[in-house]
Amino acid sequence: MAGVSKNNIPDSGTFLSFEKTQRLRIIAKKILRDFWEVHSDSEQQLKAWYQETLKAEWTTPSQIKKEYPSASFLADNRIIFNIKGNHYRLIVKISYDYQMIWIRFIGTHAAYDKINANTI
C-alpha cells in the first residue's frame, strides 16, 4: 500500500533515496603499501593516516589543519603530511568537491628535498 514518507514524498514501494557520501576516497593505497614494505618503520603511521583520512569529512584546509597541525598547504590543493616525526613526507592532492585524495609522493626527507612538491 502506497503512503507518504516523512519528507512528503510519495512512497510507492519503488522509490530509492541516495545520499551523497562525504567520505574521502584515496588513490592509491598501493603507493603507501609499496613504501612501507621498504620502510617498515613507517607502516603503522601510514596505516593510521590512511584509516583516519578514509573517515574524514574534510571540506576546507582548516579542518585538515585541526587534525594535522604540522600539515603544510601548497598551491593547487596539495598538502604535505609529516610521517613518523618528519622522517618521511607524504604529499597528496585533494579535491574537496569530489572528496578524493591522490597520493602524489611518499618518501624520505632526503628524497623530498630533491623534488618539486608543487608539481609532483
Side-chain angles (χ1 to χ4, degrees):
M1 175 152 104
V4 177
S5 74
K6 65 181 176 183
N7 296 325
N8 292 327
I9 298 171
D11 181 9
S12 65
T14 59
F15 183 81
L16 298 175
S17 173
F18 295 97
E19 292 183 31
K20 180 183 175 201
T21 179
Q22 293 296 317
R23 305 285 181 195
L24 284 165
R25 289 182 38 201
I26 304 168
I27 303 170
K29 185 178 182 180
K30 183 180 184 325
I31 295 169
L32 299 178
R33 188 180 311 114
D34 290 348
F35 185 80
W36 78 54
E37 286 176 358
V38 175
H39 302 275
S40 60
D41 61 330
S42 69
E43 181 175 0
Q44 290 308 311
Q45 284 202 328
L46 287 172
K47 283 181 175 179
W49 176 88
Y50 184 84
Q51 289 303 317
E52 291 165 8
T53 302
L54 278 179
K55 296 174 187 172
E57 295 181 10
W58 297 330
T59 57
T60 65
S62 62
Q63 291 174 322
I64 297 170
K65 196 70 167 172
K66 188 175 179 181
E67 289 186 47
Y68 293 94
S70 65
S72 301
F73 295 85
L74 305 174
D76 199 26
N77 289 326
R78 291 174 188 266
I79 308 160
I80 302 171
F81 293 96
N82 297 319
I83 304 295
K84 197 177 178 292
N86 207 21
H87 284 92
Y88 304 109
R89 292 264 174 115
L90 171 63
I91 301 174
V92 302
K93 182 174 180 176
I94 187 169
S95 169
Y96 296 104
D97 292 337
Y98 292 102
Q99 288 292 285
M100 294 182 72
I101 287 182
W102 293 269
I103 297 171
R104 306 301 299 152
F105 172 85
I106 177 70
T108 64
H109 210 295
Y112 169 82
D113 289 340
K114 296 177 183 174
I115 60 141
N116 183 341
N118 289 301
T119 60
I120 196 165

